[in-house]
Amino acid sequence: MVELRLATPSELASVTGDFDEIGPYKGFVKGWQIIAIHDHLKNSTTLHIVGSFSMRSWITSDVLMLATDRSFARTRNSVYALGRRAEAGLSIAHLRTVARALKAWGLVEKYGLKILGDDELAEHDDA
Protein backbone atom coordinates (compact mmCIF):
# COMPACT_ATOMS: atom_id res chain seq x y z
CA MET A 1 0.00 0.00 0.00
CA VAL A 2 2.98 2.29 0.45
CA GLU A 3 6.00 2.09 -1.82
CA LEU A 4 9.33 3.62 -0.90
CA ARG A 5 12.13 3.77 -3.48
CA LEU A 6 14.65 6.04 -5.13
CA ALA A 7 12.95 8.53 -7.43
CA THR A 8 12.85 7.59 -11.11
CA PRO A 9 14.29 9.82 -13.85
CA SER A 10 10.76 10.75 -14.97
CA GLU A 11 9.76 11.70 -11.40
CA LEU A 12 12.89 13.86 -11.11
CA ALA A 13 12.12 15.46 -14.47
CA SER A 14 8.62 16.35 -13.25
CA VAL A 15 10.07 18.67 -10.57
CA THR A 16 13.21 19.86 -12.38
CA GLY A 17 13.35 23.43 -13.57
CA ASP A 18 15.09 26.78 -13.39
CA PHE A 19 14.70 28.89 -10.28
CA ASP A 20 13.53 32.45 -10.97
CA GLU A 21 14.93 33.49 -7.61
CA ILE A 22 16.56 31.31 -4.98
CA GLY A 23 16.47 33.71 -2.03
CA PRO A 24 17.65 32.66 1.42
CA TYR A 25 18.11 28.96 1.95
CA LYS A 26 17.86 26.85 5.10
CA GLY A 27 21.20 25.09 4.73
CA PHE A 28 23.37 22.66 2.85
CA VAL A 29 22.49 18.98 2.26
CA LYS A 30 25.28 16.60 1.27
CA GLY A 31 25.38 12.91 0.42
CA TRP A 32 21.76 13.12 -0.70
CA GLN A 33 19.35 11.01 -2.68
CA ILE A 34 15.78 11.76 -3.68
CA ILE A 35 13.26 9.16 -2.65
CA ALA A 36 9.71 8.65 -3.82
CA ILE A 37 6.95 7.69 -1.40
CA HIS A 38 3.91 6.39 -3.25
CA ASP A 39 0.69 6.17 -1.24
CA HIS A 40 -1.45 3.63 -3.09
CA LEU A 41 -4.65 4.54 -1.21
CA LYS A 42 -4.35 8.17 -2.30
CA ASN A 43 -2.67 7.26 -5.58
CA SER A 44 -0.13 10.01 -4.95
CA THR A 45 3.65 10.19 -4.97
CA THR A 46 5.78 12.67 -3.06
CA LEU A 47 9.52 13.19 -3.50
CA HIS A 48 11.83 13.90 -0.57
CA ILE A 49 15.53 14.63 -0.22
CA VAL A 50 17.33 12.37 2.25
CA GLY A 51 20.88 13.28 3.19
CA SER A 52 23.16 14.88 5.77
CA PHE A 53 22.16 18.31 7.03
CA SER A 54 23.85 20.13 9.93
CA MET A 55 25.86 16.99 10.70
CA ARG A 56 22.82 14.71 11.06
CA SER A 57 20.61 12.58 8.88
CA TRP A 58 17.72 14.55 7.39
CA ILE A 59 14.59 14.17 5.28
CA THR A 60 12.81 17.11 3.71
CA SER A 61 9.18 17.86 3.16
CA ASP A 62 7.83 17.37 -0.39
CA VAL A 63 10.20 18.50 -3.15
CA LEU A 64 8.44 21.09 -5.29
CA MET A 65 11.37 22.09 -7.52
CA LEU A 66 14.85 20.77 -8.19
CA ALA A 67 17.34 23.02 -9.99
CA THR A 68 18.39 21.73 -13.39
CA ASP A 69 22.02 21.64 -12.20
CA ARG A 70 20.97 19.93 -8.92
CA SER A 71 22.46 22.78 -6.87
CA PHE A 72 19.25 23.79 -5.05
CA ALA A 73 15.88 22.33 -4.17
CA ARG A 74 12.70 23.99 -3.03
CA THR A 75 10.49 21.94 -0.73
CA ARG A 76 7.09 22.67 0.71
CA ASN A 77 8.77 24.28 3.73
CA SER A 78 12.27 25.46 2.72
CA VAL A 79 14.97 25.94 0.11
CA TYR A 80 18.15 23.86 0.42
CA ALA A 81 21.56 24.11 -1.23
CA LEU A 82 22.66 20.67 -2.45
CA GLY A 83 26.18 19.31 -2.30
CA ARG A 84 27.42 16.09 -3.79
CA ARG A 85 24.80 13.43 -4.39
CA ALA A 86 25.34 10.05 -2.71
CA GLU A 87 26.90 7.53 -5.06
CA ALA A 88 24.80 4.62 -3.80
CA GLY A 89 21.46 4.14 -2.07
CA LEU A 90 20.63 5.22 1.46
CA SER A 91 22.83 4.61 4.49
CA ILE A 92 21.46 2.90 7.59
CA ALA A 93 21.29 6.31 9.32
CA HIS A 94 19.26 7.72 6.44
CA LEU A 95 16.96 4.67 6.40
CA ARG A 96 16.32 5.23 10.11
CA THR A 97 15.44 8.85 9.38
CA VAL A 98 12.98 7.75 6.69
CA ALA A 99 11.43 5.21 9.09
CA ARG A 100 10.97 7.91 11.75
CA ALA A 101 9.40 10.23 9.17
CA LEU A 102 6.95 7.55 8.00
CA LYS A 103 5.89 7.13 11.61
CA ALA A 104 5.64 10.88 12.26
CA TRP A 105 3.62 11.38 9.07
CA GLY A 106 1.10 8.73 10.16
CA LEU A 107 1.83 6.20 7.42
CA VAL A 108 2.95 3.47 9.85
CA GLU A 109 -0.42 3.42 11.61
CA LYS A 110 -2.42 4.05 8.43
CA TYR A 111 -0.99 0.99 6.69
CA GLY A 112 -0.03 -1.16 9.66
CA LEU A 113 3.63 -1.06 8.64
CA LYS A 114 6.25 -2.83 10.71
CA ILE A 115 9.08 -0.40 11.43
CA LEU A 116 12.00 -1.83 13.35
CA GLY A 117 12.99 0.07 16.49
CA ASP A 118 16.49 1.49 16.96
CA ASP A 119 17.59 -1.61 18.90
CA GLU A 120 16.36 -3.91 16.14
CA LEU A 121 17.92 -1.73 13.44
CA ALA A 122 21.25 -1.77 15.28
CA GLU A 123 21.28 -5.55 14.91
CA HIS A 124 21.25 -5.07 11.12
CA ASP A 125 23.94 -2.33 10.93
CA ASP A 126 26.56 -4.79 9.75
CA ALA A 127 24.24 -6.51 7.27
Side-chain angles (χ1 to χ4, degrees):
M1 290 193 210
V2 106
E3 179 183 354
L4 171 70
R5 57 179 162 66
L6 294 177
T8 65
S10 64
E11 289 167 334
L12 293 174
S14 74
V15 296
T16 297
D18 294 321
F19 280 73
D20 291 334
E21 180 182 324
I22 294 172
Y25 58 91
K26 184 171 186 169
F28 185 75
V29 180
K30 61 182 182 177
W32 56 272
Q33 288 284 354
I34 298 182
I35 63 165
I37 300 174
H38 183 74
D39 183 327
H40 287 276
L41 286 180
K42 291 182 179 179
N43 194 28
S44 66
T45 301
T46 56
L47 304 181
H48 305 268
I49 298 168
V50 180
S52 297
F53 175 79
S54 296
M55 298 175 48
R56 63 183 175 153
S57 183
W58 190 259
I59 185 170
T60 67
S61 58
D62 306 9
V63 174
L64 303 178
M65 180 173 268
L66 179 64
T68 304
D69 66 1
R70 307 297 195 250
S71 61
F72 285 92
R74 176 172 283 118
T75 68
R76 185 171 17 101
N77 298 322
S78 302
V79 173
Y80 295 91
L82 301 177
R84 176 177 277 175
R85 188 173 182 171
E87 292 186 23
L90 300 176
S91 69
I92 293 293
H94 294 335
L95 287 171
R96 286 180 177 156
T97 298
V98 171
R100 287 184 190 107
L102 292 175
K103 184 172 182 166
W105 296 339
L107 294 175
V108 170
E109 292 80 16
K110 180 178 179 178
Y111 290 115
L113 302 175
K114 169 67 172 146
I115 301 289
L116 299 177
D118 284 337
D119 292 340
E120 294 167 297
L121 285 171
E123 295 173 15
H124 300 281
D125 279 350
D126 296 326

